[in-house]
Amino acid sequence: MKILVVAESIDLDSGSGGKVNRALILNLIQCGFRVKVYHYTRKEISLKGAATIAIKENRSSELFLLSRMERYIRNIFGISLNHRIEKRVGFSFTLKNDRNSIISALRKEKDFEPDWVLTLSQGGSFRPHHALLRLPKWHSRWIAYIHDPYPMHWYPKPYTWQEQGYKAKQRFMQEIADNCKYAAFPSKLLKEWMGTHYTSYFEKGIVIPHQLNKDTEEGKSSPIKINAAEFTILHAGNLLQARNPKGLIEGFKLFLNKNPKAPVKFLHVGPAEHYQTYLEKEAAENPQISAYCENLPFHQVLKLQENVSVNVIIEAKAGFSPFLPGKFPHCIATEKPILLLGPLKSEAKRLLGDTYPYWAEIDDTEQIEILIGELYQRWKAGLEKWNYKEVIQYLSADNLKVIIENLNKL
């Protein structure tokens, strides 16, 4: 079976989208499929087992010139025109030029006749999907991967942001629903959630979870050192505004008050625009709390996740969370306990199972303190591993192969 992948990014350090895209592609290769990858990463990246083509940006088009004019006006005069442009036409000049650059590259493809064309995006742009809509010859073989709710106002509360040009963005998502053969989602809850807004996704929706793949790139070792003699709790990831860490920090401090001699440490690594001041203040006042509010290379973060005692996943305070966090497979791969902080109904909790013991709402400080205590006792007893056998199988290349090979039977 031949699969043509059109990806926005396959760079491990470009954000969670690049990581999950790359893991999915590598597992498709591991399944034995013939894979060809067009990607818009803006740098040469090779993947063993696949033909990999970096799409060049068209820098001579009218759209490119208009996008640069907008950028210069923004940088020189501090005036952003993008929100006006998007309010009027739905999408920025930059996105449209990127879309056309991808289309131009794909139209040159003559030798690879795919059984399936899989589009993988990043963030909120969906550039490969924009391109495929203009290439109807592939619609009957198109698997449109939708990683998050879109447009942004379809995010469940507490996310309530309404973008400029949202009506055009809604039409765009409806066009995908109408024209793709299948719409793939990383989570069952996300498929159901998007199906409430676009009924075609109920009929065409399939679940392809973020993949467990331990591929990484070598590089410099992390400046952060983990002491094996300490019980270390790690939160690695971007603390968006809705991912409030205060319940976790206060729960950790409660545990310290009750166990002042315990060799324990809390570590945060990753951007924290809304909580950096708070985290750095807590770290300054308590030597058992450390905060590195910046990105580290992926291979360094992965090594930290492998070496700590507990990994933390923080989700929003919400009625439910349809997202499967991009770092979920990385945490599962370590086979270390996960402290899951989020709503009762979430994809991560669904996969861990109803009986998974280390879960609490993000602001339930007392329960978080209790769970940290239980995890600490496990660590003291030498019980460092957790059995994720069923989840590992669900996120594996073997399961992915079954999903892809069964598509024609649906």
Side-chain angles (χ1 to χ4, degrees):
M1 186 179 294
K2 294 191 287 186
I3 300 176
L4 178 66
V5 178
V6 187
E8 189 147 344
S9 175
I10 55 173
D11 184 357
L12 288 173
D13 293 321
S14 66
S16 61
K19 297 178 182 66
V20 297
N21 289 349
R22 184 154 164 160
L24 177 51
I25 294 166
L26 289 173
N27 274 10
L28 287 171
I29 296 167
Q30 187 176 326
C31 289
F33 302 133
R34 289 182 58 192
V35 179
K36 190 167 189 176
V37 181
Y38 281 82
H39 65 96
Y40 203 58
T41 312
R42 316 298 182 86
K43 67 179 182 180
E44 295 294 336
I45 297 177
S46 61
L47 298 176
K48 186 177 180 181
T52 312
I53 299 168
I55 299 170
K56 305 298 183 184
E57 180 184 28
N58 183 348
R59 302 176 68 88
S60 61
S61 71
E62 180 180 332
L63 285 167
F64 177 81
L65 295 175
L66 288 170
S67 71
R68 288 306 180 268
M69 286 175 59
E70 189 280 330
R71 182 178 298 180
Y72 291 143
I73 292 170
R74 179 171 11 111
N75 291 342
I76 295 171
F77 300 106
I79 301 172
S80 176
L81 300 177
N82 252 346
H83 70 284
R84 299 178 189 177
I85 295 167
E86 293 197 24
K87 186 175 182 179
R88 193 176 187 88
V89 298
F91 303 98
S92 68
F93 294 137
T94 299
L95 185 144
K96 289 185 175 183
N97 187 64
D98 293 343
R99 172 202 65 195
N100 290 349
S101 299
I102 296 171
I103 291 170
S104 179
L106 293 176
R107 281 179 173 158
K108 295 175 184 176
E109 175 56 58
K110 305 295 183 185
D111 302 325
F112 193 80
E113 188 61 31
D115 297 287
W116 296 109
V117 180
L118 174 64
T119 49
L120 304 174
S121 197
Q122 182 175 9
S125 66
F126 291 88
R127 283 162 166 80
H129 301 63
H130 281 274
L132 256 290
L133 281 173
R134 303 296 184 94
L135 297 168
K137 70 173 183 176
W138 281 331
H139 286 180
S140 64
R141 292 169 277 176
W142 180 17
I143 305 171
Y145 199 96
I146 299 168
H147 52 277
D148 283 328
Y150 190 83
M152 296 295 183
H153 61 271
W154 291 145
Y155 272 60
K157 291 181 179 181
Y159 304 97
T160 57
W161 183 45
Q162 185 169 287
E163 300 164 281
Q164 298 295 336
Y166 71 92
K167 290 184 179 179
K169 292 174 170 65
Q170 282 185 198
R171 289 194 296 271
F172 161 68
M173 189 55 65
Q174 185 64 59
E175 285 184 72
I176 295 174
D178 291 341
N179 288 287
C180 70
K181 178 67 174 178
Y182 295 108
F185 300 89
S187 90
K188 178 177 179 287
L189 291 182
L190 180 58
K191 183 189 81 167
E192 293 170 353
W193 176 246
M194 289 300 289
T196 64
H197 300 295
Y198 307 94
T199 55
S200 293
Y201 289 140
F202 276 128
E203 304 160 11
K204 299 181 177 183
I206 60 173
V207 178
I208 299 179
H210 296 321
Q211 297 292 291
L212 197 158
N213 186 289
K214 295 185 179 181
D215 167 74
T216 185
E217 296 172 346
E218 295 300 322
K220 294 181 180 178
S221 60
S222 171
I224 304 168
K225 304 304 178 186
I226 302 299
N227 184 349
E230 288 182 327
F231 173 74
T232 305
I233 301 170
L234 170 67
H235 177 265
N238 191 349
L239 281 174
L240 303 175
Q241 188 169 8
R243 298 173 186 165
N244 192 330
K246 294 181 180 180
L248 171 59
I249 296 294
E250 295 306 313
F252 180 72
K253 288 162 62 178
L254 273 181
F255 172 80
L256 292 180
N257 289 338
K258 295 180 180 180
N259 303 271
K261 296 183 179 180
V264 300
K265 185 113 177 176
F266 171 77
L267 171 64
H268 165 76
V269 176
E273 178 184 355
H274 301 282
Y275 302 106
Q276 183 167 345
T277 301
Y278 166 76
L279 288 169
E280 290 177 347
K281 177 177 179 293
E282 292 294 332
E285 294 175 353
N286 193 322
Q288 289 170 284
I289 296 175
S290 295
Y292 296 83
C293 299
E294 57 189 60
N295 280 316
L296 288 181
F298 175 61
H299 72 274
Q300 293 183 6
V301 175
L302 200 62
K303 187 61 68 174
L304 290 174
Q305 290 173 322
E306 291 171 350
N307 290 337
V308 298
S309 313
V310 174
N311 286 291
V312 181
I313 293 177
I314 300 179
E315 300 190 280
K317 177 72 176 178
F320 82 111
S321 176
F323 313 97
L324 181 62
K327 69 175 181 179
F328 183 80
H330 311 147
C331 294
I332 292 294
T334 69
E335 297 184 76
K336 300 291 181 70
I338 294 170
L339 178 57
L340 177 63
L341 305 179
L344 177 63
K345 184 178 180 182
S346 77
E347 185 71 6
K349 190 172 188 305
R350 186 183 77 82
L351 294 182
L352 290 173
D354 291 337
T355 60
Y356 186 75
Y358 304 119
W359 163 83
E361 294 277 359
I362 68 169
D363 56 354
D364 191 345
T365 300
E366 293 183 359
Q367 180 63 16
I368 291 170
E369 182 267 321
I370 291 170
L371 296 180
I372 290 173
E374 292 176 1
L375 288 162
Y376 175 65
Q377 293 302 322
R378 277 186 59 89
W379 175 80
K380 281 182 65 178
L383 302 174
E384 296 184 359
K385 296 288 187 178
W386 189 265
N387 182 3
Y388 296 115
K389 183 178 179 181
E390 290 184 8
V391 184
I392 289 172
Q393 171 60 26
Y394 179 73
L395 304 175
S396 71
D398 289 342
N399 187 45
L400 176 63
K401 186 174 184 179
V402 172
I403 293 169
I404 299 297
E405 289 182 341
N406 283 340
L407 289 179
N408 285 321
K409 300 175 184 178
L410 296 179

